[in-house]
Amino acid sequence: IGAVMMLLLLLYPLRKRVRGLAFMGGNRFWFRLHMIFGVVGPVLILYHANFRLGSTNSNVALISMLVVAGSGLVGRYIYAKIHHGLYGRKPSLAELRGTLDDARSDIAALFAVSSGVRDELFAFSEHALQEPSGVLHGLGRIVTTRIDAARTRRRVHRLARRDIAERSRDAGWNRSETRRLLRYVDSKSRVFVRQARAVSEFALYERLFSLWHVLHLPLFFML
């Protein structure tokens, strides 16, 4: 059963590339099946092997299968980074940049109450959108950008709390109004930082996904 599942994995790329197979169902259905069989098939084979190594030939086959299955899990993670969810539509980089530009306009108007908040968020987005020099540099940038994002959110919260408290005293707002505005600023800041990170990482994940394709298919045929 596990071996049959591994063979049926080929139906998904065939369905994607051969128009005459449209009668078999939609790509989304076969993609789900591809993901399920890619996990369940190797698990069944591991049970068949009793989780033990055997002859050299079977060991090579087992290791190849585990490498292919591991590669598939990595590919699933990268795929979800450049699509709307695991089974959603793939956005374009221009679309993501347009969304971020709209958010930047909202930020400029919304945070007139605190120029420090606005400057912090704009500085973060400008730094995050700098082009990496290569794949390794880009991978490092993902880590540093996420750390920087957490720091930016903390600084924004401190600045917003200080500036809103000052305006609250001047305007005579009550405590609940002040807290509501602070939560609103925190929420909008979090969304803006997330969008800037998504734009920053999108091109890199696209490149990683194309490189993953180059590796994944030969591994499968080796198996």
Side-chain angles (χ1 to χ4, degrees), residues 164-206:
I164 291 172
E166 290 178 0
R167 286 183 175 267
S168 174
R169 286 193 298 270
D170 296 339
W173 297 338
N174 60 42
R175 186 172 296 180
S176 63
E177 289 174 331
T178 303
R179 288 177 177 173
R180 191 183 308 116
L181 181 57
L182 181 59
R183 285 197 298 268
Y184 188 61
V185 170
D186 282 340
S187 174
K188 287 293 184 180
S189 301
R190 193 179 305 112
V191 170
F192 181 80
V193 168
R194 189 187 307 124
Q195 288 175 334
R197 268 184 44 208
V199 174
S200 170
E201 297 173 1
F202 184 82
L204 175 66
Y205 279 121
E206 261 195 332

Side-chain angles (χ1 to χ4, degrees), residues 109-139:
L110 177 65
F111 296 125
V113 67
S114 174
S115 59
V117 166
R118 183 189 61 220
D119 294 343
E120 281 286 344
L121 292 172
F122 284 2
F124 169 78
S125 66
E126 289 173 7
H127 177 71
L129 296 180
Q130 291 177 359
E131 292 288 336
S133 58
V135 174
L136 291 179
H137 182 215
L139 289 172

Side-chain angles (χ1 to χ4, degrees), residues 1-9 37-38 40-45 48:
I1 294 171
V4 169
M5 285 185 173
M6 297 294 286
L7 288 174
L8 289 175
L9 291 175
F37 285 177
V40 177
V43 168
L44 291 178
I45 293 171
H48 167 75

